[in-house]
Protein backbone atom coordinates (compact mmCIF):
# COMPACT_ATOMS: atom_id res chain seq x y z
CA UNK A 1 0.00 0.00 0.00
CA UNK A 2 2.84 2.36 0.78
CA UNK A 3 4.49 1.63 -2.60
CA UNK A 4 1.27 2.39 -4.57
CA UNK A 5 0.82 5.69 -2.76
CA UNK A 6 4.39 6.73 -3.42
CA UNK A 7 4.06 5.83 -7.08
CA UNK A 8 0.92 7.93 -7.45
CA UNK A 9 2.55 10.98 -5.88
CA UNK A 10 5.57 10.56 -8.12
CA UNK A 11 3.44 10.42 -11.25
CA UNK A 12 1.56 13.61 -10.37
CA UNK A 13 4.76 15.43 -9.53
CA UNK A 14 6.30 14.38 -12.84
CA UNK A 15 3.32 15.58 -14.84
CA UNK A 16 2.65 12.11 -16.30
CA UNK A 17 -0.64 11.29 -14.56
CA UNK A 18 -3.00 9.35 -16.86
CA UNK A 19 -6.50 10.73 -17.60
CA UNK A 20 -9.68 8.97 -18.61
CA UNK A 21 -11.11 8.86 -22.12
CA UNK A 22 -13.54 11.68 -21.31
CA UNK A 23 -10.61 13.84 -20.29
CA UNK A 24 -8.92 13.27 -23.64
CA UNK A 25 -12.02 14.47 -25.50
CA UNK A 26 -12.27 17.69 -23.47
CA UNK A 27 -8.67 18.52 -24.26
CA UNK A 28 -9.59 19.10 -27.94
CA UNK A 29 -12.06 21.95 -27.17
CA UNK A 30 -11.02 25.62 -27.18
CA UNK A 31 -12.42 28.96 -26.07
CA UNK A 32 -14.47 31.01 -28.53
CA UNK A 33 -12.62 34.07 -29.82
CA UNK A 34 -14.20 37.15 -31.39
CA UNK A 35 -12.55 40.51 -31.94
CA UNK A 36 -13.07 43.58 -34.12
CA UNK A 37 -9.50 43.83 -35.37
CA UNK A 38 -9.65 46.90 -37.58
CA UNK A 39 -11.93 49.75 -38.68
CA UNK A 40 -10.77 51.65 -41.74
CA UNK A 41 -10.79 54.55 -42.33
CA UNK A 42 -11.02 55.95 -38.82
CA UNK A 43 -12.25 58.61 -38.65
CA UNK A 44 -14.78 58.12 -41.44
CA UNK A 45 -14.74 61.42 -43.36
CA UNK A 46 -17.85 62.34 -45.36
CA UNK A 47 -17.50 65.28 -47.78
CA UNK A 48 -20.47 67.17 -49.19
CA UNK A 49 -23.11 64.97 -50.80
CA UNK A 50 -20.76 62.03 -51.30
CA UNK A 51 -20.87 58.70 -49.49
CA UNK A 52 -17.95 57.10 -47.62
CA UNK A 53 -17.67 53.39 -46.85
CA UNK A 54 -16.02 52.13 -43.68
CA UNK A 55 -14.62 48.60 -43.60
CA UNK A 56 -14.73 46.39 -40.50
CA UNK A 57 -12.41 43.41 -40.11
CA UNK A 58 -13.52 40.83 -37.51
CA UNK A 59 -11.46 37.88 -36.23
CA UNK A 60 -13.33 34.75 -35.08
CA UNK A 61 -12.38 31.22 -33.99
CA UNK A 62 -13.45 28.12 -35.94
CA UNK A 63 -16.45 27.35 -33.77
CA UNK A 64 -18.13 30.59 -34.92
CA UNK A 65 -20.70 29.90 -37.62
CA UNK A 66 -22.06 33.43 -38.11
CA UNK A 67 -21.13 36.99 -37.13
CA UNK A 68 -23.64 39.87 -37.02
CA UNK A 69 -22.21 43.40 -37.07
CA UNK A 70 -24.11 46.55 -36.15
CA UNK A 71 -23.18 50.20 -35.56
CA UNK A 72 -24.81 53.05 -33.68
CA UNK A 73 -23.85 56.53 -32.44
CA UNK A 74 -22.28 56.47 -29.00
CA UNK A 75 -24.54 59.31 -27.86
CA UNK A 76 -27.86 58.10 -26.44
CA UNK A 77 -29.82 60.92 -28.12
CA UNK A 78 -29.34 59.24 -31.51
CA UNK A 79 -30.33 55.70 -30.49
CA UNK A 80 -33.67 55.90 -32.31
CA UNK A 81 -32.06 56.38 -35.73
CA UNK A 82 -32.68 53.96 -38.59
CA UNK A 83 -30.54 50.81 -38.81
CA UNK A 84 -27.48 51.17 -41.04
CA UNK A 85 -27.17 48.75 -43.95
CA UNK A 86 -24.27 46.30 -43.65
CA UNK A 87 -22.58 44.68 -46.66
CA UNK A 88 -21.26 41.22 -45.75
CA UNK A 89 -17.92 40.77 -47.52
CA UNK A 90 -15.70 37.69 -47.64
CA UNK A 91 -13.98 36.36 -44.51
CA UNK A 92 -15.72 38.20 -41.67
CA UNK A 93 -15.28 41.57 -43.37
CA UNK A 94 -18.06 44.13 -43.58
CA UNK A 95 -18.70 47.48 -45.26
CA UNK A 96 -21.03 50.22 -44.04
CA UNK A 97 -21.75 53.46 -45.94
CA UNK A 98 -22.03 56.85 -44.25
CA UNK A 99 -23.39 60.14 -45.63
CA UNK A 100 -24.10 63.71 -44.53
CA UNK A 101 -27.36 62.67 -42.83
CA UNK A 102 -25.54 60.54 -40.24
CA UNK A 103 -24.71 62.02 -36.82
CA UNK A 104 -21.18 63.32 -36.47
CA UNK A 105 -18.96 62.17 -33.62
CA UNK A 106 -18.20 58.94 -31.75
CA UNK A 107 -19.82 55.67 -32.94
CA UNK A 108 -19.83 52.15 -31.52
CA UNK A 109 -19.47 48.94 -33.55
CA UNK A 110 -20.73 45.66 -32.04
CA UNK A 111 -20.00 42.16 -33.35
CA UNK A 112 -22.04 39.16 -32.14
CA UNK A 113 -20.94 35.57 -32.82
CA UNK A 114 -23.28 32.56 -33.16
CA UNK A 115 -22.50 28.83 -33.31
CA UNK A 116 -23.99 26.29 -35.70
CA UNK A 117 -27.00 25.87 -33.42
CA UNK A 118 -27.79 29.59 -33.67
CA UNK A 119 -26.74 30.22 -30.08
CA UNK A 120 -25.03 33.50 -29.20
CA UNK A 121 -21.56 32.61 -27.94
CA UNK A 122 -19.47 35.81 -27.97
CA UNK A 123 -19.58 39.59 -28.45
CA UNK A 124 -17.04 42.36 -28.99
CA UNK A 125 -17.25 46.11 -29.49
CA UNK A 126 -15.02 48.94 -30.71
CA UNK A 127 -15.34 52.69 -31.21
CA UNK A 128 -14.70 54.89 -34.22
CA UNK A 129 -15.45 58.45 -35.34
CA UNK A 130 -17.53 59.97 -38.14
CA UNK A 131 -16.50 63.40 -39.45
CA UNK A 132 -19.22 65.10 -41.54
CA UNK A 133 -17.96 67.84 -43.86
CA UNK A 134 -21.06 69.13 -45.59
CA UNK A 135 -19.21 71.33 -48.08
CA UNK A 136 -20.64 74.48 -49.60
CA UNK A 137 -24.36 75.10 -49.21
CA UNK A 138 -26.60 75.67 -52.23
CA UNK A 139 -27.65 79.27 -52.87
CA UNK A 140 -30.19 81.12 -55.00
CA UNK A 141 -31.16 84.67 -55.90
CA UNK A 142 -34.90 85.25 -55.80
CA UNK A 143 -37.19 88.16 -56.67
CA UNK A 144 -34.59 89.83 -58.85
CA UNK A 145 -36.07 92.90 -60.47
CA UNK A 146 -34.85 95.77 -62.65
CA UNK A 147 -37.25 98.71 -62.82
CA UNK A 148 -38.84 100.57 -64.38
CA UNK A 149 -39.26 98.32 -67.39
CA UNK A 150 -39.18 101.48 -69.60
CA UNK A 151 -36.86 104.38 -68.81
CA UNK A 152 -35.49 107.46 -70.56
CA UNK A 153 -31.77 107.48 -71.33
CA UNK A 154 -29.75 109.00 -68.50
CA UNK A 155 -32.32 108.23 -65.83
CA UNK A 156 -31.80 105.60 -63.11
CA UNK A 157 -32.57 101.90 -63.22
CA UNK A 158 -33.15 100.34 -59.81
CA UNK A 159 -32.35 96.76 -58.82
CA UNK A 160 -33.48 94.56 -55.98
CA UNK A 161 -33.38 90.89 -55.04
CA UNK A 162 -32.70 88.42 -52.27
CA UNK A 163 -29.77 86.03 -51.74
CA UNK A 164 -30.66 82.82 -49.91
CA UNK A 165 -28.77 79.71 -48.78
CA UNK A 166 -30.17 76.28 -48.02
CA UNK A 167 -29.62 74.86 -44.55
CA UNK A 168 -32.57 72.46 -44.14
CA UNK A 169 -34.61 75.40 -45.45
CA UNK A 170 -33.96 78.52 -47.53
CA UNK A 171 -32.77 81.47 -45.44
CA UNK A 172 -31.47 84.95 -46.31
CA UNK A 173 -27.69 85.49 -46.26
CA UNK A 174 -26.41 88.77 -44.87
CA UNK A 175 -23.19 90.63 -45.70
CA UNK A 176 -22.44 89.03 -49.09
CA UNK A 177 -21.51 90.87 -52.28
CA UNK A 178 -23.79 90.54 -55.30
CA UNK A 179 -22.77 91.91 -58.71
CA UNK A 180 -25.12 93.29 -61.38
CA UNK A 181 -24.38 92.62 -65.06
CA UNK A 182 -25.89 94.14 -68.22
CA UNK A 183 -26.12 92.69 -71.74
CA UNK A 184 -27.11 95.28 -74.35
CA UNK A 185 -29.66 94.31 -76.97
CA UNK A 186 -27.91 92.74 -79.97
CA UNK A 187 -24.81 91.83 -77.93
CA UNK A 188 -23.70 88.51 -76.44
CA UNK A 189 -21.38 90.03 -73.83
CA UNK A 190 -22.32 90.61 -70.20
CA UNK A 191 -20.69 93.66 -68.57
CA UNK A 192 -20.45 94.51 -64.88
CA UNK A 193 -22.36 97.68 -63.95
CA UNK A 194 -22.86 97.65 -60.17
CA UNK A 195 -22.36 95.75 -56.88
CA UNK A 196 -24.36 95.61 -53.67
CA UNK A 197 -24.08 94.05 -50.21
CA UNK A 198 -26.87 91.91 -48.88
CA UNK A 199 -28.56 93.17 -45.75
CA UNK A 200 -31.24 91.83 -43.45
CA UNK A 201 -32.92 88.67 -44.78
CA UNK A 202 -30.42 88.64 -47.68
CA UNK A 203 -31.98 91.59 -49.52
CA UNK A 204 -29.88 93.80 -51.79
CA UNK A 205 -30.49 97.03 -53.73
CA UNK A 206 -28.65 99.06 -56.36
CA UNK A 207 -28.99 101.48 -59.25
CA UNK A 208 -27.25 102.50 -62.49
CA UNK A 209 -27.86 105.08 -65.20
CA UNK A 210 -29.79 103.95 -68.25
CA UNK A 211 -27.86 104.04 -71.55
CA UNK A 212 -28.94 101.12 -73.74
CA UNK A 213 -31.85 98.71 -73.74
CA UNK A 214 -30.97 95.22 -72.61
CA UNK A 215 -31.09 92.53 -69.95
CA UNK A 216 -29.80 92.61 -66.39
CA UNK A 217 -28.87 89.80 -64.00
CA UNK A 218 -27.45 89.44 -60.49
CA UNK A 219 -24.47 87.16 -59.85
CA UNK A 220 -23.14 85.81 -56.56
CA UNK A 221 -19.66 84.29 -56.82
CA UNK A 222 -19.84 82.21 -53.64
CA UNK A 223 -17.20 81.62 -50.96
CA UNK A 224 -15.74 78.76 -48.90
CA UNK A 225 -19.14 77.93 -47.42
CA UNK A 226 -21.62 78.97 -50.13
CA UNK A 227 -22.06 77.89 -53.76
CA UNK A 228 -22.17 80.53 -56.55
CA UNK A 229 -25.50 81.36 -58.17
CA UNK A 230 -27.09 83.59 -60.83
CA UNK A 231 -30.52 85.19 -60.91
CA UNK A 232 -33.02 85.19 -63.73
CA UNK A 233 -32.65 87.99 -66.28
CA UNK A 234 -34.85 91.08 -66.43
CA UNK A 235 -35.22 93.31 -69.51
CA UNK A 236 -35.36 97.12 -69.48
CA UNK A 237 -36.14 99.28 -72.53
CA UNK A 238 -34.22 102.56 -72.73
CA UNK A 239 -35.61 105.31 -75.00
CA UNK A 240 -34.43 108.74 -76.11
CA UNK A 241 -36.29 112.00 -75.55
CA UNK A 242 -40.02 111.71 -74.97
CA UNK A 243 -40.72 109.08 -77.63
CA UNK A 244 -41.76 105.60 -76.43
Amino acid sequence: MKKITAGLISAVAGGTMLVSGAGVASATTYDTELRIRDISPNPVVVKGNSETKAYFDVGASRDVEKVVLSVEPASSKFRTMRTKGVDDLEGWRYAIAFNKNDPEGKWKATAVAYNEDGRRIATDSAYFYVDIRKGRADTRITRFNASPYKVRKGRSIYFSGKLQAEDHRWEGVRGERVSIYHRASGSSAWKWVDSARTGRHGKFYGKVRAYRSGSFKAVYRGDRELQPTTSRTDYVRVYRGWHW
Side-chain angles (χ1 to χ4, degrees):
M1 182 65 179
K2 292 181 180 180
K3 292 181 180 180
I4 296 175
T5 303
L8 179 59
I9 294 173
S10 175
V12 172
T16 58
M17 183 175 181
L18 297 177
V19 296
S20 66
V24 172
S26 63
T28 63
T29 63
Y30 44 85
D31 294 332
T32 299
E33 292 184 5
L34 180 72
R35 185 165 62 91
I36 300 175
R37 297 184 296 195
D38 183 58
I39 301 174
S40 180
N42 187 9
V44 182
V45 178
V46 177
K47 296 181 180 180
N49 295 320
S50 64
E51 188 177 75
T52 301
K53 281 191 174 182
Y55 295 89
F56 299 78
D57 181 22
V58 179
S61 53
R62 288 190 299 172
D63 59 329
V64 173
E65 184 67 22
K66 181 178 74 171
V67 173
V68 175
L69 181 74
S70 62
V71 297
E72 62 180 356
S75 174
S76 59
K77 68 180 181 179
F78 296 117
R79 291 297 172 87
T80 59
M81 69 170 289
R82 63 182 176 82
T83 302
K84 295 289 293 180
V86 179
D87 294 333
D88 191 350
L89 307 178
E90 184 178 356
W92 306 132
R93 293 185 69 248
Y94 306 86
I96 301 176
F98 293 84
N99 58 49
K100 66 179 183 181
N101 297 317
D102 291 313
E104 185 176 50
K106 189 176 182 180
W107 283 62
K108 180 181 180 181
T110 302
V112 180
Y114 297 85
N115 63 11
E116 60 182 3
D117 298 324
R119 185 169 61 88
R120 178 172 173 166
I121 55 177
T123 62
D124 188 38
S125 61
Y127 292 92
F128 62 102
Y129 289 83
V130 175
D131 182 5
I132 305 295
R133 301 177 185 177
K134 293 185 178 180
R136 296 194 292 176
D138 289 332
T139 61
R140 68 181 183 184
I141 294 174
T142 63
R143 301 180 183 178
F144 177 69
N145 182 59
S147 63
Y149 70 96
K150 290 181 180 180
V151 63
R152 192 169 67 180
K153 183 178 180 180
R155 295 288 180 88
S156 294
I157 299 174
Y158 297 89
F159 307 98
S160 63
K162 180 185 289 188
L163 175 64
Q164 296 179 313
E166 185 180 24
D167 185 12
H168 302 295
R169 64 177 183 173
W170 290 102
E171 297 181 346
V173 182
R174 186 172 186 171
E176 296 295 327
R177 177 174 172 165
V178 176
S179 298
I180 308 298
Y181 288 83
H182 176 252
R183 183 180 63 192
S185 296
S187 173
S188 61
W190 287 94
K191 295 184 178 181
W192 175 90
V193 293
D194 193 22
S195 293
R197 287 280 178 182
T198 59
R200 188 177 182 185
H201 305 305
K203 294 180 180 179
F204 61 89
Y205 303 92
K207 70 175 182 178
V208 296
R209 289 193 178 276
Y211 288 103
R212 294 181 62 183
S213 298
S215 298
F216 293 88
K217 68 179 180 179
V219 176
Y220 173 62
R221 296 190 177 278
D223 59 19
R224 294 179 62 184
E225 297 180 353
L226 301 174
Q227 294 279 5
T229 189
T230 301
S231 72
R232 69 178 184 88
T233 60
D234 200 10
Y235 182 83
V236 174
R237 180 186 171 189
V238 178
Y239 62 91
R240 295 174 181 269
W242 297 101
H243 297 285
W244 289 63

